[in-house]
Amino acid sequence: MWVVRSAQATVPVSPSGVSWAAAIVARLVDAMPSCSYLTIAHPASDVAAGQMAASMRNYNEHVAVPLTARSHDEVSAFFAGLDLVEPGVVQLHRWRAGTGDPRTGRELANYGGVGRKP
């Protein structure tokens, strides 16, 4: 029998810094039992960088809680101490894309990954 445990949470992607967000994710992971999974989807700062920067500025001008996009390395750091499920941290449309064509005609500026707590 398989028991699947998964933790999904909405962590504000605030411009307060990676360390602030990483502390929230680490606290969540600490509370998860062994063999649980953490999934993350996060806007990317290093894919279509100019377009994303403009998009984030425009979005943040109209909301009370601003967002920030992060680089691949910054998003990957949220999985510290976890075993990444293949294919790791990749653009969302490339995460286990299957046999279909994952190309969309443009690069999607979002990363996603799944990590298993040992």
Side-chain angles (χ1 to χ4, degrees):
M1 175 199 291
W2 287 86
V3 176
V4 177
R5 297 181 187 134
S6 176
Q8 293 181 325
T10 301
V11 177
V13 286
S14 163
S16 300
V18 174
S19 61
W20 175 83
I24 291 174
V25 173
R27 187 172 175 188
L28 173 66
V29 169
D30 285 344
M32 292 169 29
S34 181
C35 299
S36 296
Y37 290 85
L38 174 75
T39 61
I40 294 177
H42 198 294
S45 64
D46 53 358
V47 177
Q51 183 180 1
M52 278 301 290
S55 177
M56 289 288 99
R57 272 192 310 275
N58 184 47
Y59 178 85
N60 288 338
E61 289 173 1
H62 298 93
V63 297
V65 179
L67 299 178
T68 190
R70 291 195 167 88
S71 70
H72 183 269
D73 288 344
E74 291 170 325
V75 175
S76 295
F78 292 135
F79 291 97
L82 301 177
D83 299 325
L84 277 173
V85 174
E86 287 295 326
V89 177
V90 296
Q91 290 171 286
L92 292 178
H93 65 293
R94 292 196 168 98
W95 208 95
R96 296 222 178 152
T99 58
D101 184 357
R103 292 176 289 167
T104 63
R106 63 185 174 99
E107 294 297 308
L108 299 180
N110 279 282
Y111 289 121
V114 177
R116 182 181 179 272
K117 184 175 180 179

